[in-house]
Amino acid sequence: MKRRGSGILLHITSLPSSYGIGDLGPSAYQFVDFLSETRQSFWQILPLTQINEAHGNSPYSSISAFAGNTLLISPQLLVEDGFLSPSDIESPPSFPREKIVYKAVTEYKTGLFRLAYDNFKNRKQKDSGFEKFCKENQYWLDDYVLFVTLKENFSGAVWSEWPEDMRDRKKEVSKKLKGKHAPAHLRLKDKIEMEKFLQYVFYKQRHSLRAYCNSRDIQIIGDMPIYVNYDSADVWANPEMFKLDENKKPVFVAGVPPDYFSSTGQLWGNPVYNWEALKKTGYAWWMRLIERNLKLFDIIRLDHFRGLVAYWEVPAGEETAINGRWVEVPVRDFFDKLLKRFPSLPIIAEDLGIITPDVREILDLYGFPGMKVLLFAFGDDLAANPYVPHNHVKNCVVYTGTHDNNTAKGWFRKEARPEDKQRLFQYLGREVSEETVHRELTRMAMMSVADLAIIPMQDILGLGEEARMNVPATGDGNWGWRLLPEQLTPSLAASFLELTRIYGRA
């Protein structure tokens, strides 16, 4: 990543398809061809972790840090692999093209998955790839499939509310639940095997797509949240890694302190790690998580990087994040051990917001590139603003905006104050309109000294706030935007290719 390059931010769910949601099938390969045609070197996506409706379908709020999002499985590739017949997918429901309706997609794909699993199960010849996958991933897969199966059996209840023997994962219970003598409503073996099958198919399809990207000299940048949900297989299976009480409920939860964005801070609610316990294991769980993500991505963007230096913990039960405190992480020991295991650890640090000197020190010590977001560049004190292009450094990644921001056009139209616009005009040396601001910010990012420039697809297309991916701290209506196939026009490709070449990123 030390060479000059550029790429596009577009999550897989946003790709076109006939099945209600973008997936790992033909449209993903067509998008890789578009990246190659425009001489991009990187494709940035959001986390590929399993999503669910209870957590707003957010890829940052998953029931597992390891399991893949099975809604990304391509029905067309299931047909190619012989798990479905062409007639099974020839008449999908009439899904909206512009937006994902997660409930309808989940219902439709669940039916296809059951059919595909039945066909897989009834094959006379065993799939050696499946057996190998289950063996290699046993350390997380067995816990995950049992967790989701039990959760479904208990009507979605939080794991800490399950019967005590299941809450505490007693071994004899696990054997009993899988056995032929289990009560009918707890006969889970078939469900468990189906969940393993779906993770295997996800792995196969994702592996093929990454190989195709790499064959076209394109690297995948993927997001990795540093926290996990309390109601997840990770906490259920590894309670000793988190600060929990005798009833396995959180003692503290994660957040950020009050700042100029919020007078009460942000209370995220994730359980916080017991770093002393993690240290005693040589950070074994983290080692496996990083290894897993390096199988998914070429480069990992670590979300909320500052939480790996010191984190804000708030007593459980607080209504705001005000009464929290900073707790230091054994960060040097942690990264020294990570780098010993992964000598060339390809990390981008999400270092947005108020970053203290101790975080900067770690970034400098290990040489991890941080982020510069142009939508933050035109506030007060323009000359000294770290996000404005003349203050960029080579070892960073510049974005017009991220998945948590409005689009450039939406920002200009709805959020930028008159004085922000005036500073933008002064910096450019001329006025621009809402119809052209996305092009100006894209050009500004591409001409930056930053080694890497990443442009959200929405800003390349010049779309407004209706195409925004996520509004933080809101639970509904996020993660739904989709690209339309006709939007990837030859003229769009030509103009983006020209920019890429002009600024030496091709």
Side-chain angles (χ1 to χ4, degrees):
M1 203 175 66
K2 294 299 180 186
R3 66 179 178 81
R4 193 168 170 82
S6 59
I8 295 175
L9 168 58
L10 178 75
H11 193 38
I12 292 174
T13 58
S14 296
L15 289 166
S17 87
S18 300
Y19 307 102
I21 190 170
D23 59 37
L24 295 160
S27 285
Y29 289 80
Q30 289 162 15
F31 185 69
V32 174
D33 293 341
F34 177 83
L35 290 168
S36 180
E37 184 185 348
T38 56
R39 300 294 297 275
Q40 302 311 298
S41 306
F42 301 90
W43 178 7
Q44 181 166 331
I45 58 179
L46 305 185
L48 296 180
T49 43
Q50 188 68 281
I51 62 174
N52 61 67
E53 195 174 3
H55 299 143
N57 300 302
S58 169
Y60 294 88
S61 189
S62 180
I63 56 172
S64 170
F66 291 86
N69 180 1
T70 52
L71 289 183
L72 300 180
I73 291 173
S74 163
Q76 289 151 292
L77 296 186
L78 286 173
V79 171
E80 283 187 22
D81 285 340
F83 297 127
L84 293 175
S85 65
S87 61
D88 293 329
I89 66 169
E90 66 185 6
S91 301
S94 183
F95 293 111
R97 298 173 74 229
E98 302 86 359
K99 212 78 173 168
I100 301 166
V101 181
Y102 279 97
K103 188 173 182 180
V105 168
T106 302
E107 288 175 0
Y108 172 67
K109 285 204 165 182
T110 299
L112 290 183
F113 295 159
R114 167 52 69 182
L115 194 56
Y117 172 65
D118 287 342
N119 291 331
F120 166 78
K121 187 174 59 171
N122 294 329
R123 281 185 173 182
K124 290 179 181 175
Q125 190 172 353
K126 281 198 169 184
D127 189 324
S128 59
F130 174 69
E131 304 296 330
K132 183 183 178 189
F133 169 79
C134 292
K135 188 175 180 181
E136 289 179 351
N137 294 277
Q138 185 177 8
Y139 66 92
W140 66 266
L141 185 62
D142 285 1
D143 287 324
Y144 167 73
V145 297
L146 188 56
F147 176 83
V148 294
T149 305
L150 284 169
K151 192 166 178 61
E152 182 178 297
N153 186 77
F154 293 120
S155 304
V158 177
W159 65 266
S160 57
E161 307 300 328
W162 297 351
E164 188 177 330
D165 52 356
M166 298 180 199
R167 180 196 76 182
D168 295 340
R169 298 174 64 249
K170 293 180 179 173
K171 287 184 180 177
E172 64 274 15
V173 172
S174 176
K175 287 180 182 176
K176 179 181 148 189
L177 293 175
K178 297 178 189 177
K180 62 183 179 182
H181 301 299
H185 68 292
L186 289 178
R187 202 165 296 147
L188 308 177
K189 187 174 180 181
D190 200 49
K191 167 71 173 169
I192 285 169
E193 287 301 302
M194 178 175 162
E195 291 294 340
K196 286 185 178 181
F197 165 72
L198 293 178
Q199 288 300 316
Y200 167 60
V201 172
F202 170 85
Y203 160 80
K204 279 185 64 180
Q205 294 191 2
R206 188 271 316 153
H207 179 76
S208 295
L209 179 61
R210 179 176 174 183
Y212 187 71
C213 285
N214 293 166
S215 75
R216 307 299 297 267
D217 294 323
I218 292 162
Q219 292 185 289
I220 298 178
I221 302 172
D223 262 13
M224 183 181 137
I226 71 163
Y227 288 124
V228 299
N229 266 340
Y230 173 66
D231 192 20
S232 66
D234 309 287
V235 184
W236 176 64
N238 307 281
E240 70 285 351
M241 294 192 332
F242 302 89
K243 293 184 178 180
L244 307 180
D245 64 19
E246 64 276 6
N247 295 314
K248 299 191 175 179
K249 298 284 183 71
V251 179
F252 299 99
V253 295
V256 290
D259 56 22
Y260 56 78
F261 293 115
S262 170
S263 60
T264 58
Q266 295 178 45
L267 191 63
W268 296 334
N270 308 78
V272 296
Y273 296 105
N274 182 339
W275 280 99
E276 287 308 309
L278 285 165
K279 187 176 181 180
K280 287 175 185 175
T281 68
Y283 313 101
W285 183 84
W286 269 95
M287 294 288 176
R288 284 174 161 172
L289 183 61
I290 293 292
E291 182 180 45
R292 173 76 176 154
N293 276 272
L294 288 174
K295 289 178 180 177
L296 293 172
F297 313 124
D298 298 290
I299 299 167
I300 300 168
R301 192 199 82 129
L302 270 178
D303 200 40
H304 192 59
F305 181 86
R306 78 134 306 118
L308 294 176
V309 180
Y311 61 91
W312 187 254
E313 71 170 23
V314 183
E318 290 283 329
E319 294 186 3
T320 73
I322 292 174
N323 295 320
R325 63 171 187 146
W326 286 112
V327 181
E328 291 187 356
V329 172
V331 58
R332 293 195 183 203
D333 186 61
F334 174 58
F335 276 114
D336 285 348
K337 284 188 168 57
L338 271 183
L339 285 161
K340 189 175 181 181
R341 174 79 178 275
F342 310 104
S344 55
L345 189 59
I347 280 177
I348 296 168
E350 187 273 287
D351 59 345
L352 305 175
I354 298 175
I355 298 299
T356 48
D358 56 340
V359 181
R360 291 271 164 250
E361 186 181 335
I362 294 300
L363 288 173
D364 291 342
L365 176 66
Y366 293 103
F368 298 141
M371 293 173 57
K372 307 294 181 187
V373 177
L374 293 182
L375 292 189
F376 301 160
F378 303 102
D380 300 334
D381 197 6
L382 186 64
N385 188 304
Y387 300 113
V388 84
H390 67 258
N391 289 324
H392 293 179
V393 295
K394 278 179 63 62
N395 189 35
C396 76
V397 186
V398 59
Y399 298 78
T400 52
T402 75
H403 65 275
D404 279 337
N405 302 125
N406 208 331
T407 65
K409 187 174 183 178
W411 166 79
F412 189 88
R413 188 157 54 190
K414 297 284 188 178
E415 298 173 11
R417 301 168 300 173
E419 54 269 34
D420 298 331
K421 293 180 182 179
Q422 192 56 40
R423 282 187 284 264
L424 171 62
F425 300 158
Q426 289 173 335
Y427 200 77
L428 289 170
R430 66 189 183 285
E431 291 192 6
V432 296
S433 70
E434 66 179 53
E435 297 304 322
T436 60
V437 67
H438 64 284
R439 288 199 290 271
E440 298 296 343
L441 291 180
T442 297
R443 184 178 294 273
M444 202 180 289
M446 297 294 272
M447 70 169 64
S448 166
V449 71
D451 283 333
L452 180 52
I454 299 290
I455 315 298
M457 193 71 227
Q458 294 94 318
D459 288 345
I460 295 172
L461 293 169
L463 303 178
E465 60 276 4
E466 74 285 348
R468 183 171 182 166
M469 197 65 173
N470 181 47
V471 180
T474 63
D476 298 322
N478 294 318
W479 319 110
W481 176 75
R482 297 185 68 195
L483 175 72
L484 300 176
E486 61 266 25
Q487 289 175 315
L488 296 181
T489 63
S491 62
L492 181 78
S495 62
F496 197 52
L497 172 61
E498 182 181 37
L499 270 187
T500 306
R501 283 179 166 154
I502 287 171
Y503 296 112
R505 297 190 180 276

